[in-house]
Amino acid sequence: MTRQADPFAQLDLALSEARALECEKPTQMRSEAIFWICKICSCRDAQRLLRDGKWFWSCDTCGTKLEADEIALAATQSKSFNAPALRPPTGPHRLVKIFDHDQLMKIARTRDSISGDSGDKRRIEVTLAKLLEQDETRPLALPGPAYEAELEQLSHAFPAFGRVISEVVAPSLAILAAGGMIRPAPMLLVGSPGIGKTFFLSSLAKVLQIPMVKQDMSSATTGASLSGLGIHWSNSSTGSVFRTLAFGKPNCPAVANPLFMLDELDKCAGDQRFDPLGPLHALLEEESSREFEDESLPGVVFNASEIRWVATANCTSGIPAPILSRMHVIEIEDPTHAERVALAERIFSGAVRAMRLREFADVMPDSMLERAADMPPREFKRISQMAVGRALARGDFQPRVDDFAIQTTVPKQKMGF
């Protein structure tokens, strides 16, 4: 398909305006809401700052910075705003149509009627241009030849999550491996805090070789984090569903079937006028999710039906019945003492690997295992990081038991008058 650039004649004008803004010479440090797209991760969450009389833009997602001379070059060359080339996953894959170029071209030709705000117009124009420069399809990550052995190892590492693997993950992968198509059932994992739900899901995403997007539903006040913020708001922006399918995550190319984790779904309590769970009514249904629309991009319909949805909760009482009916509920039993010990060992070794300390021993002292098993996973991960730092400050590459002796209780507040 030959992609025409005619509908984007105003894009060069928008970029020229951005360049003109860079010619300002203010005398104090300040930040402004300037339209910007990161050349590394395609994120638009950034700030333009002035330090020592020089402008730079800094990406809030990956930390990339553009100096003033690079900004001027980007303003004269629209290709500098292109999204990074999407690479297929390293494993086997099939292509799934996510976007429709013909539909995007029609929207581009009528974009003046979408919004009267110049900032929204620039954002929509550049987003459409980026989508048109990429393929309509995204790779559907498929199970590798050793997926059964990998799932078995995952089951041994997380025995409390055996039902998750046997009832949902393994059957869906078997169908995909046989050449079929299936949308895995959205899951709700119910269990006590600190039993390793997040750790398990991040490990599952690595086995599946797909990016994981974590949404903290306990702090959500609207559905904008998933479905975008409408253009009638001054800070309109796209939601995580669109961004992940369109442009992937930093260092993670886009795939058709990323894993979305909805953490603490039972603690979601936003204003009912802006229901945080509203987008899930469509996203969790296979048919309606095939034609999903981000609220900040009116008319841009895309296919979100291949996403793997997994929610976590401590109980089901706070979850609306319509949402609950769309999910396969699995209760996660509290791990045994031996399983908690094994989990603590994995948390510590994972913390060391995440810090990229190749010479540091990723095995904790045996005498620390019993104490670690009684700590919540999140707390023990923090303590592990501090213990590693204590050992390195002492000049050791192996932690001692006393390195983990860190006060974690909250001190009682004194009454004052």
Side-chain angles (χ1 to χ4, degrees):
M1 174 180 175
T2 302
R3 296 171 191 162
Q4 303 175 2
D6 293 342
F8 299 99
Q10 291 189 6
L11 179 58
D12 291 334
L13 176 60
L15 295 174
S16 298
E17 292 174 353
R19 184 183 183 186
L21 289 170
E22 295 304 323
C23 297
E24 300 175 3
K25 297 183 180 297
T27 58
Q28 59 183 0
M29 179 175 177
R30 60 192 177 98
S31 64
E32 293 186 30
I34 303 297
F35 183 73
W36 184 91
I37 293 180
C38 176
K39 63 179 182 180
I40 301 299
C41 68
S42 301
C43 172
R44 70 180 290 269
D45 298 325
Q47 283 191 329
R48 188 180 73 147
L49 302 174
L50 178 70
R51 288 200 180 101
D52 300 326
K54 188 174 183 180
W55 285 108
F56 73 89
W57 283 342
S58 177
C59 177
D60 293 343
T61 299
C62 69
T64 298
K65 293 182 179 179
L66 286 180
E67 302 297 338
D69 55 345
E70 295 178 288
I71 295 170
L73 179 63
T76 57
Q77 299 179 352
S78 61
K79 65 181 181 180
S80 300
F81 284 82
N82 292 350
L86 297 178
R87 304 180 302 277
T90 56
H93 64 276
R94 292 198 294 266
L95 296 178
V96 175
K97 185 174 179 178
I98 303 297
F99 296 95
D100 187 321
H101 280 166
D102 291 337
Q103 176 207 59
L104 297 177
M105 292 295 290
K106 290 179 181 177
I107 297 172
R109 294 188 182 101
T110 60
R111 65 191 182 281
D112 287 340
S113 62
I114 295 177
S115 173
D117 181 79
S118 59
D120 276 335
K121 285 184 179 179
R122 288 197 293 269
R123 176 179 60 80
I124 293 172
E125 284 172 348
V126 176
T127 301
L128 291 173
K130 288 164 56 184
L131 290 174
L132 285 166
E133 288 168 352
Q134 298 171 352
D135 291 334
E136 297 175 307
T137 61
R138 298 293 181 268
L140 179 75
L142 300 176
Y147 83 91
E148 292 175 306
E150 292 173 339
L151 289 184
E152 185 175 355
Q153 293 177 356
L154 195 63
S155 295
H156 288 310
F158 299 92
F161 295 85
R163 283 187 58 198
V164 177
I165 296 173
S166 64
E167 294 181 7
V168 178
V169 178
S172 67
L173 294 186
I175 293 172
L176 291 173
M181 293 293 291
I182 185 175
R183 181 181 191 260
M187 288 187 290
L188 173 63
L189 309 185
V190 181
S192 305
I195 60 175
K197 296 187 287 290
T198 301
F199 192 21
F200 166 75
L201 291 176
S202 62
S203 300
L204 175 62
K206 292 177 183 177
V207 170
L208 299 176
Q209 297 187 44
I210 57 177
M212 185 179 90
V213 180
K214 182 179 178 182
Q215 295 285 156
D216 182 7
M217 302 307 293
S218 65
S219 60
T221 56
T222 72
S225 60
L226 291 171
S227 62
L229 190 60
I231 58 173
H232 55 277
W233 296 96
S234 60
N235 56 342
S236 175
S237 60
T238 55
S240 59
V241 174
F242 170 82
R243 291 196 303 271
T244 305
L245 292 176
F247 310 120
K249 294 179 61 181
N251 302 317
C252 293
V255 297
N257 55 339
L259 191 156
F260 265 72
M261 174 186 176
L262 307 173
D263 197 26
E264 298 188 311
L265 191 66
D266 55 327
K267 296 182 176 62
C268 186
D271 190 324
Q272 293 305 309
R273 296 174 301 170
F274 311 103
D275 184 8
L277 301 181
L280 293 179
H281 291 86
L283 287 168
L284 297 181
E285 290 284 3
E286 183 173 4
E287 293 305 319
S288 56
S289 62
R290 292 185 187 278
E291 296 184 347
F292 190 73
E293 181 177 330
D294 190 286
E295 292 189 22
S296 75
L297 297 170
V300 178
V301 177
F302 56 95
N303 180 6
S305 65
E306 301 295 338
I307 293 176
R308 284 183 176 268
W309 292 97
V310 185
T312 68
N314 299 143
C315 63
T316 60
S317 59
I319 303 175
I323 298 297
L324 203 58
S325 67
R326 287 165 165 79
M327 312 194 84
H328 181 65
V329 182
I330 299 178
E331 186 171 353
I332 308 299
E333 301 292 339
D334 290 345
T336 64
H337 179 74
E339 291 169 356
R340 292 199 302 271
V341 169
L343 179 61
E345 290 181 302
R346 292 195 298 273
I347 289 175
F348 180 77
S349 61
V352 174
R353 289 195 299 271
M355 288 184 276
R356 301 180 182 179
L357 299 173
R358 296 182 179 179
E359 298 182 6
F360 198 91
D362 62 354
V363 179
M364 74 176 104
D366 291 340
S367 55
M368 184 61 201
L369 292 177
E370 295 296 321
R371 292 168 54 189
D374 295 330
M375 297 182 187
R378 293 188 186 93
E379 179 180 327
F380 181 64
K381 181 178 180 180
R382 292 194 299 268
I383 291 178
S384 296
Q385 294 169 336
M386 289 184 273
V388 170
R390 280 184 164 187
L392 289 174
R394 192 176 57 249
D396 289 347
F397 289 89
Q398 170 71 53
R400 300 191 307 230
V401 174
D402 56 346
D403 291 327
F404 293 87
I406 297 170
Q407 180 72 24
T408 59
T409 57
V410 179
K412 294 182 179 180
Q413 293 183 354
K414 295 182 179 180
M415 184 178 296
F417 296 93

